[in-house]
Amino acid sequence: KIMSSEGVLTLGQGRVAFFHETFFDYCFARHFIASGAKLRDLLRRSEQDLFRRSQVRQILTFERGADVAAYLDDLAWLLTSPDVRLHLKALVVALLETVQDPTVEEWQLLRPLACDQLSPLHLHAWQAVRRNSAWFSILDAEGIWEKLLRTGGELAHRAVWALSAFAPGNPKRVITLLKGS
C-alpha cells in the first residue's frame, strides 16, 4: 500500500504493476509516433517476441487517441497480415475488449474474426465483445444482433452467448432481440 501511495506501484483490476513499466511503454509509444515510425515496419524488421506486446498495446492506445485513421490502419493490418504472429493478433483482440467507447469501424475489423469459426481468434473475438458492455449498443445500433441471430447455427449461438452477458444491464432489449430471432 505504501509503494502504491508513493506511485511506485499501480493497482487496478486485480493487477499490480510497476509504474515505470507503464510509463516507459507510454513514453516509447509517444516517441515512436512522434518520430513518424510505422508499427508495421517495427514488427517486420524485428522479432515479434513477448516484449513487443506492451509496445504494440501502447502504440495502438496512443494512436487511438491521437490519430484514429492511423490507428484503424494499424489495427486492420495487425488483424489481417500473415506477417503478424498470432500472439500479437490475440493481444489486439484483447485490447478491443478494454476500449471504453468501441466504434463501428473497430467492429468492422473484428467482425471477420467473429464470423470465421475456423479462425484461431474466433472465440477471442466473441470474448472481447461479451466482456465489454460498450459493444452491446454499437452492435445493436447497427442491427448486428438481429443479423447474427437470424443466421442460425454457430454464429447465432455465439450471439446468444454474448447477449446473455448484456441481459442484466439491458433486459428489455435483449428479450426483444431474442424473441425476434
Side-chain angles (χ1 to χ4, degrees), residues 1-60:
K1 288 181 183 178
I2 293 170
M3 291 178 79
S4 176
S5 70
E6 294 296 322
V8 176
L9 295 177
T10 58
L11 306 172
Q13 299 179 336
R15 291 181 44 171
V16 177
F18 284 99
F19 164 77
H20 66 83
E21 291 173 3
T22 305
F23 185 67
F24 168 77
D25 292 339
Y26 168 78
C27 289
F28 172 82
R30 195 172 130 188
H31 180 267
F32 184 85
I33 299 299
S35 75
K38 300 293 180 201
L39 184 57
R40 65 185 69 196
D41 295 334
L42 173 69
L43 295 177
R44 283 182 176 151
R45 74 171 185 260
S46 63
E47 290 294 319
Q48 293 181 20
D49 55 16
L50 293 177
F51 177 72
R52 289 280 176 243
R53 292 170 57 87
S54 61
Q55 292 175 336
V56 169
R57 181 179 28 255
Q58 280 295 337
I59 289 168
L60 288 175

Side-chain angles (χ1 to χ4, degrees), residues 84-142:
V84 177
R85 290 182 58 194
L86 186 60
H87 75 95
L88 290 175
K89 290 179 184 221
L91 167 90
V92 171
V93 172
L95 181 65
L96 293 173
E97 178 182 323
T98 65
V99 295
Q100 292 181 1
D101 54 345
T103 65
V104 172
E105 293 81 10
E106 287 168 320
W107 167 250
Q108 290 169 346
L109 297 173
L110 188 59
R111 186 181 142 291
L113 301 174
C115 293
D116 180 1
Q117 297 171 35
L118 299 178
S119 169
L121 297 170
H122 174 74
L123 185 55
H124 292 277
W126 279 106
Q127 287 171 334
V129 169
R130 187 175 195 267
R131 292 177 180 167
N132 183 343
S133 61
W135 279 110
F136 175 77
S137 58
I138 296 295
L139 274 62
D140 195 28
E142 295 296 311

